[in-house]
Amino acid sequence: MMLRTALLALVFPCAALATPGETVRDTVENHILPRVETFAQEAQALSDAATAECTDLRPAFADAFDAWISMSHLRFGPTETDERAFALAFWPDTRGVIPRALGGLIEAEDPAASDPDSFAQVSIAARGFYALEFLLYDAALSTRGSDTYRCALVQAIATDIARLAEAIRADWDPGYARTLMDPDEQGRYRTDQEALRELYKALDAGLQFTADTRLGRPLGSYDRPRPNRAEAHRSGRSLHHVTLSLMALRDLAAHLSRDHPQAAREADAGFARALDRAAMLDDPVFAGVAEPAPRLRVETLQQSVQDIRDTVAATLAPALGVDAGFNALDGD
């Protein structure tokens, strides 16, 4: 009897692996939609705070920015419509366009700041979180022009962020969520496997962006480190963004690997190592990259993130039956 039971267990396992469609549905419902909803709520809270008062926006700014970074790896579908992601997050700004665009609006006291529809047409560099960071934290721009116009500009940017966040939320739920969860031969995703590949690409691209851009830009080269290129360094958020991104991507990886325990263990161990190394850094804006010992710690963190990317490519991707191919960073 025991032998027969064992044989039956081999032939009819009690817990079948989730189908690609079930994995997609779980990821959409429990990873994507909650983040999209939180972002919409925090963006509206930022807009409300700006409408009430221009002088104490930093806490609301931080909460909304946190919510964006925690979903910013979802660079497909609603975030890409009408270049919403770029309007929310014009970074890296390789040519220093943001302060010039803001300065131009302030000097001209451009009336677009008083009309949301008109403001949505201004330079994309003058919109979103990085433009608002300049107005709240940059010594020159935070005092430039009249207080009245600068307040109107802050309010315009905050309102625009909330509008974009709500548009993303409205497109995701239920529209794009259904597109992912219910593939169709005539649709954006023809099969569950194609939808699953899109989610894996988001994981891969998110890791690549954190390693190559969030960490790579301030590292520069050994002979020419570039700490002033760190993301959101004016508000002291550079390392914080790395941590938020890793936490969000760890959650995405957990949903994608939920029925592949070996891949799940290896990926989670990699995330744990990277987050531990981030927690040990006492350098919130990577200011120490010009010095050998602090630089080595940032390089080690960068390698840890790259190691996660290599691990999921070697273990999770084959388990899911997908590959990254081109991702959002490759222009696909």
Side-chain angles (χ1 to χ4, degrees), residues 133-203:
E133 183 196 27
F134 263 97
L135 292 175
L136 296 180
Y137 290 91
D138 184 74
L141 278 168
S142 65
T143 57
R144 190 168 177 178
S146 72
D147 292 346
T148 300
Y149 184 79
R150 202 169 55 252
C151 176
L153 186 54
V154 164
Q155 291 171 337
I157 295 173
T159 297
D160 190 53
I161 288 172
R163 182 188 63 81
L164 290 165
E166 176 54 28
I168 291 170
R169 188 207 63 75
D171 282 359
W172 259 111
D173 190 11
Y176 206 83
R178 288 178 179 166
T179 298
L180 268 174
M181 295 188 296
D182 299 314
D184 184 272
E185 280 294 333
Q186 306 304 315
R188 173 67 178 82
Y189 306 101
R190 294 171 296 175
T191 66
D192 289 327
Q193 203 68 27
E194 287 187 3
L196 190 61
R197 182 172 181 264
E198 184 78 274
L199 298 175
Y200 178 81
K201 284 168 60 179
L203 173 63

Side-chain angles (χ1 to χ4, degrees), residues 76-276:
F76 61 91
T79 59
E80 297 303 276
T81 300
D82 298 329
E83 297 189 324
R84 289 168 184 161
F86 284 113
L88 286 164
F90 185 75
W91 187 83
D93 176 15
T94 57
R95 297 184 178 181
V97 180
I98 294 174
R100 293 201 300 273
L102 290 172
L105 292 175
I106 292 170
E107 289 302 313
E109 294 202 353
D110 194 311
S114 62
D115 177 62
D117 291 335
S118 297
F119 190 77
Q121 304 305 313
V122 305
S123 167
I124 207 166
R127 299 165 65 192
F129 286 104
Y130 299 95
L132 189 52
E133 183 196 27
F134 263 97
L135 292 175
L136 296 180
Y137 290 91
D138 184 74
L141 278 168
S142 65
T143 57
R144 190 168 177 178
S146 72
D147 292 346
T148 300
Y149 184 79
R150 202 169 55 252
C151 176
L153 186 54
V154 164
Q155 291 171 337
I157 295 173
T159 297
D160 190 53
I161 288 172
R163 182 188 63 81
L164 290 165
E166 176 54 28
I168 291 170
R169 188 207 63 75
D171 282 359
W172 259 111
D173 190 11
Y176 206 83
R178 288 178 179 166
T179 298
L180 268 174
M181 295 188 296
D182 299 314
D184 184 272
E185 280 294 333
Q186 306 304 315
R188 173 67 178 82
Y189 306 101
R190 294 171 296 175
T191 66
D192 289 327
Q193 203 68 27
E194 287 187 3
L196 190 61
R197 182 172 181 264
E198 184 78 274
L199 298 175
Y200 178 81
K201 284 168 60 179
L203 173 63
D204 178 71
L207 289 165
Q208 181 182 355
F209 187 78
T210 291
D212 294 351
T213 307
R214 288 194 168 107
L215 292 166
R217 279 183 62 78
L219 278 168
S221 64
Y222 186 82
D223 294 330
R224 197 177 184 187
R226 299 295 188 92
N228 287 338
R229 290 185 174 181
E231 182 183 19
H233 64 88
R234 291 170 184 82
S235 52
R237 296 176 57 90
S238 311
L239 177 60
H240 183 57
H241 283 193
V242 171
T243 300
L244 287 174
S245 175
L246 288 173
M247 292 171 64
L249 294 168
R250 186 184 199 178
D251 185 71
L252 175 57
H255 285 286
L256 293 178
S257 63
R258 65 182 191 144
D259 282 300
H260 305 285
Q262 182 63 31
R265 282 193 296 271
E266 292 189 26
D268 196 65
F271 279 108
R273 282 192 295 272
L275 286 165
D276 283 347

